[in-house]
Each structure stands twice: as structure tokens, then as C-alpha cells.
Amino acid sequence: MHSHLIPGIDDGAKTLEKSLAYIREMQALGFQKIITTPHIMGDHYPNTAEVIMAGLQDIRDALAKENNLIEVSAGAEYYVDEFFVDLLDSNAPLLTLSDKKVLIEFSTFAPPSNAFEVIFQLLSMGYQPVLAHPERYVYYYDNFNFFQELVNKGCSFQVNTLSLIGHYGAVQKKIAYRLISDKLVTYLGTDLHNGGHAKLLLKSLRNKKLQSLLSNYEFQNHLL
Ligand SMILES: [Fe+2]
């Protein structure tokens, strides 16, 4: 879960060929199902369900031509800002990971002022918020209990695999392991944007500490 494979609509795969190449690389690593999640971020990536679903269809058609049977679906990664609040207020249906699970992300620079309000609003609309890469929100590091509070309010957490090998930095890695040891994490995601990430995924799966984590911690990806 969590990747950027719809070609040309965010900072992920730029072309259909690249997208297919990343999918094949993930398959080679053992992935059997992919939920791709393009950014929906204000003016920056003003993607809509129509745009995302059309891109998904292109990917599915290309895979079918190759007789590639991997399952690919699409949700979105909603950036929590005023555009997202407007979207919620307009009652437009949101793209989901599965069932009613909605992937959201915060700024990596500054905490949102309305985290609890957004979670509450999503829950009251019948959605289940899943927060992408909480370990990247280092501004909560000195207020670690805030992570627990987000979970208590009904938010699930998705950690990035590459955070666990320090790809985003030492603090992010530390937070990721601590969130896991505190049993606050529900899902593990790739957040794959490019070929470099695909190579690092291979490296991370060879990492002994990560291997033992994967065999001991019960991530709930199979529920998606
Ligand atoms: Fe992402």
C-alpha cells in the first residue's frame, strides 16, 4: 500500500513505462497486490477521482496486454490543508484504500492546527483515517504522546518501509521503531515514487533487523 504509480500526475512515476517497470520490480520482491495513492494536494497536485481512475485504467490495460495478473487499485494520499477541509465540507466522496479507509498526510515541516478536527470529521462521515508516515512528522518527537493521542482519537498509522532503514533520516528511523514498539502502527507502506525507492526496498528487505521485525510484528496490510 501507498505508492505513486499513476503516471504524470504527482511526484511519482512520470510515464506509463516507468510505472510498469516499478510494478514489475515490486512483483519481483514478492508483492501480489498494489494500492497506489497519488497525492491530492491543493493547487500543487489538484488530482481528482476521475483523473486517478483514468490513470489506473491505463495501467490495468497495459498490464493486461502483458498478461500480468497483479492486482492494482487506487486510492489517494490526501494532504491535510484547507483544500482538504473544503473537500470534506463539500461531502464529495473520497478515494479509499479499501472499505472506508482514507490515507491522509500532514506537512513534514509544521504540524497541522486541525489534526483532531480532521480526524473527527472523517470519522463522523464514516471514514477511517490512516495517517501516512507519522515518523516523518519529526515536530512531534518531543511531544511523543501526541502520536498516542492521534491513535486514541481513531487514526491508524502507516509507517514507510524505507524509514526503517534510515532513508528519511536518523530521527525518522528512531520514531518509526518507537511507534512500532509502542504498537501504534497498523500498516507498512512503500511510499514508492521512483526507481531509487524500488532499489532501496530490495535493500531493506535484506536488512536483518527489518526481517525480524516483519516476522514478529503483526502489520495489518492483509486487511486492505
Ligand atoms: Fe506518499
Side-chain angles (χ1 to χ4, degrees):
M1 69 167 289
H2 190 167
S3 61
H4 299 268
L5 297 171
I6 305 286
I9 67 166
D10 64 4
D11 55 347
K14 291 196 169 37
T15 63
L16 183 59
E17 289 65 35
K18 295 255 186 218
S19 174
L20 296 171
Y22 305 154
I23 290 171
R24 285 186 216 105
E25 287 190 65
M26 283 197 272
Q27 268 183 299
L29 295 177
F31 288 84
Q32 295 172 341
K33 178 179 173 184
I34 291 171
I35 305 170
T36 196
T37 49
H39 288 290
I40 295 185
M41 186 189 280
D43 287 333
H44 218 61
Y45 301 120
N47 291 315
T48 61
E50 290 70 28
V51 166
I52 291 171
M53 287 305 156
L56 174 65
Q57 194 55 50
D58 291 342
I59 290 176
R60 285 178 170 170
D61 291 345
L63 289 171
K65 268 190 202 152
E66 294 180 355
N67 292 318
N68 187 332
L69 298 175
I70 190 162
E71 190 183 341
V72 184
S73 64
E77 182 178 15
Y78 291 96
Y79 186 80
V80 172
D81 59 3
E82 65 272 26
F83 289 90
F84 185 56
V85 172
D86 286 347
L87 196 64
L88 292 180
D89 289 343
S90 75
N91 239 329
L94 302 178
L95 289 167
T96 58
L97 299 168
S98 71
D99 305 323
K100 301 291 271 180
K101 298 179 183 73
V102 172
L103 188 67
I104 58 172
E105 68 170 331
F106 295 163
S107 159
T108 51
F109 299 107
S113 57
N114 57 347
F116 290 150
E117 287 85 347
V118 164
I119 289 166
F120 179 77
Q121 194 167 355
L122 281 165
L123 290 168
S124 64
M125 293 168 78
Y127 291 111
Q128 294 164 3
V130 177
L131 183 62
H133 39 63
E135 73 280 8
R136 298 190 62 194
Y137 311 133
V138 292
Y139 42 74
Y140 292 139
Y141 182 63
D142 290 328
N143 179 20
F144 211 86
N145 197 43
F146 193 79
F147 289 117
Q148 179 73 61
E149 286 182 47
L150 287 171
V151 171
N152 291 349
K153 297 277 187 220
C155 189
S156 304
F157 284 173
Q158 171 260 305
V159 155
N160 282 1
T161 311
L162 299 186
S163 294
L164 299 166
I165 58 162
H167 175 62
Y168 303 93
V171 176
Q172 288 85 342
K173 180 178 175 181
K174 207 167 163 178
I175 296 174
Y177 274 101
R178 181 152 165 211
L179 289 173
I180 288 170
S181 73
D182 287 354
K183 303 227 177 306
L184 295 179
V185 179
T186 305
Y187 307 105
L188 191 60
T190 64
D191 205 359
L192 186 138
H193 283 71
N194 52 51
H197 285 166
K199 284 184 183 57
L200 284 170
L201 265 182
L202 173 62
K203 187 180 163 194
S204 62
L205 293 179
R206 288 181 179 148
N207 180 292
K208 291 275 180 281
K209 194 172 172 191
L210 192 50
Q211 279 176 2
S212 98
L213 179 70
L214 288 171
S215 49
N216 289 312
Y217 190 86
E218 291 187 9
F219 293 105
Q220 302 294 313
N221 288 49
H222 59 280
L223 296 180
L224 294 169

